[in-house]
Amino acid sequence: PLVTSKELFKKAYEGGYAIGAFNVNNMEIIQGIVEAAKEENSPLILQVSAGARKYARPVYLKKLVEAAVEDTGLPVVLHLDHGESFEICKACIDDGFTSVMIDGSKLPFEENITLTKKVVDYAHEHGVVVEAELGRIGGVEDNISVGEREATFTDPDQALEFVERTGVDSLAIAIGTSHGAYKFKGEPYLDFKRLEEIMKRLPGFPLVLHGASTVLPEFVEACNKYGGSIHSAKGVPEEMLRKAASLGICKINIDTDLRLAMTAMIRKYLAENPSEFDPRKYLGAAREAIKEMVKHKIRNVLGSSNKL
Ligand code: G3H
Ligand code: 13P
Ligand code: ZN
């Protein structure tokens, strides 16, 4: 069935592991992820961005996720990633999503609270849980200095006030991660002291880590070996993710690693089989690579194997 993350987060928090939230855009990505979760007997969040809804069209992703649930019998959380307005959150809630994110992180504090509260009220009336964001998680194009960056990290006192005043179910925090394949110019750094300060103020409350791809070197190298050009790519080291999961991070968001795995395998397959033109061949290879990559994350990074 489609489930909310309420109980899953509670167990994850107590067990010191995290649940992977994987972005989905098409059938092969969905199948690769759910097959991995099934084999690992792991809880799972599938998340859909506004861009994914635009690309695939809402009804397709909804039905594909329902098909995955029917096929595997797994409990799956269907989550809206980075909803920017009340309207898109409402549309997803009305569509049967079990979880939505309202991302008011670009707004001033009070406006973020007002918007988040409005979504929480509507969602809770419909049995849906809400994730919000406080602090700014960097994006691909953001090119900001360390000082500027510090100012965008989540303030622990504000986090407590935000959660109390909105009634939100989980909170995405900024402690140094960013979206995309270029997360760190120098050495990877996450502000674990800040995470602990936030946790002290919100004991037992589920926190979310965005921008948490590792940017696996094997896939970057394969992309480049077979005609790609991806340079200075750097992600969050696995041990940092393990540490975050063992503390209070209950949800770890992964999209970039799926994109890299898929692209690497399609490039490799086509380069090695130049006369092949059956999409099932190269998409099948990509699906298999996604499955193996997700199994590795579940087992060795998230720690969510056999937690169902
Ligand atoms: O946070 C961003 C996710 O990677 C989704 O990206 O908006 O291009 O679908 P997208
Ligand atoms: P990555 O770009 O690190 O995969 O992060 C994805 C994410 O945070 C989706 O919300
Ligand atoms: Zn994100």
Side-chain angles (χ1 to χ4, degrees), residues 75-294:
V76 173
V77 179
L78 177 55
H79 174 76
L80 168 68
D81 191 28
H82 292 284
E84 288 209 329
S85 65
F86 174 78
E87 286 70 29
I88 188 171
C89 291
K90 180 177 183 301
C92 289
I93 293 164
D94 295 347
D95 253 12
F97 279 51
T98 52
S99 175
V100 294
M101 175 185 191
I102 178 67
D103 180 357
S105 62
K106 291 190 189 74
L107 301 172
F109 186 63
E110 287 297 328
E111 286 173 43
N112 190 358
I113 287 184
T114 305
L115 176 61
T116 299
K117 178 88 172 61
K118 186 174 173 190
V119 172
V120 167
D121 288 343
Y122 187 79
H124 286 181
E125 274 170 32
H126 294 79
V128 171
V129 293
V130 180
E131 172 184 331
E133 178 172 325
L134 186 64
R136 294 288 301 278
I137 294 154
V140 187
E141 290 96 32
D142 293 4
N143 194 3
I144 52 175
S145 72
V146 176
E148 285 166 326
R149 196 154 174 176
E150 279 288 334
T152 65
F153 285 3
T154 306
D155 178 85
D157 292 323
Q158 277 196 343
L160 172 60
E161 185 183 345
F162 186 91
V163 168
E164 283 180 344
R165 287 176 59 193
T166 58
V168 76
D169 301 283
S170 63
L171 185 68
I173 55 167
I175 56 168
T177 60
S178 62
H179 293 108
Y182 310 95
K183 299 187 190 301
F184 304 101
K185 290 245 152 58
E187 283 305 298
Y189 166 77
L190 293 191
D191 193 343
F192 282 106
K193 256 191 76 195
R194 187 177 298 264
L195 172 58
E196 280 166 24
E197 286 304 317
I198 297 168
M199 288 178 58
K200 250 189 245 165
R201 294 181 183 56
L202 290 164
F205 186 81
L207 300 171
V208 178
L209 197 62
H210 281 246
S213 277
T214 305
V215 187
L216 293 153
E218 60 178 293
F219 294 127
V220 175
E221 281 157 24
C223 282
N224 290 335
K225 180 170 174 193
Y226 297 105
S229 179
I230 300 172
H231 301 289
S232 312
K234 205 179 282 181
V236 185
E238 292 185 344
E239 27 336 324
M240 287 192 185
L241 296 172
R242 271 185 225 114
K243 183 171 173 187
S246 74
L247 297 169
I249 298 287
C250 293
K251 173 174 180 272
I252 287 191
N253 282 13
I254 296 157
D255 188 4
T256 297
D257 282 337
L258 295 166
R259 296 179 182 196
L260 286 170
M262 182 157 213
T263 302
M265 291 321 288
I266 291 173
R267 281 192 179 282
K268 181 169 188 282
Y269 188 89
L270 292 175
E272 288 176 348
N273 303 275
S275 59
E276 189 58 71
F277 53 87
D278 181 343
R280 292 173 295 187
K281 294 285 174 53
Y282 53 84
L283 292 176
R287 178 172 63 189
E288 194 57 29
I290 286 174
K291 177 179 166 184
E292 290 310 314
M293 187 271 286
V294 172

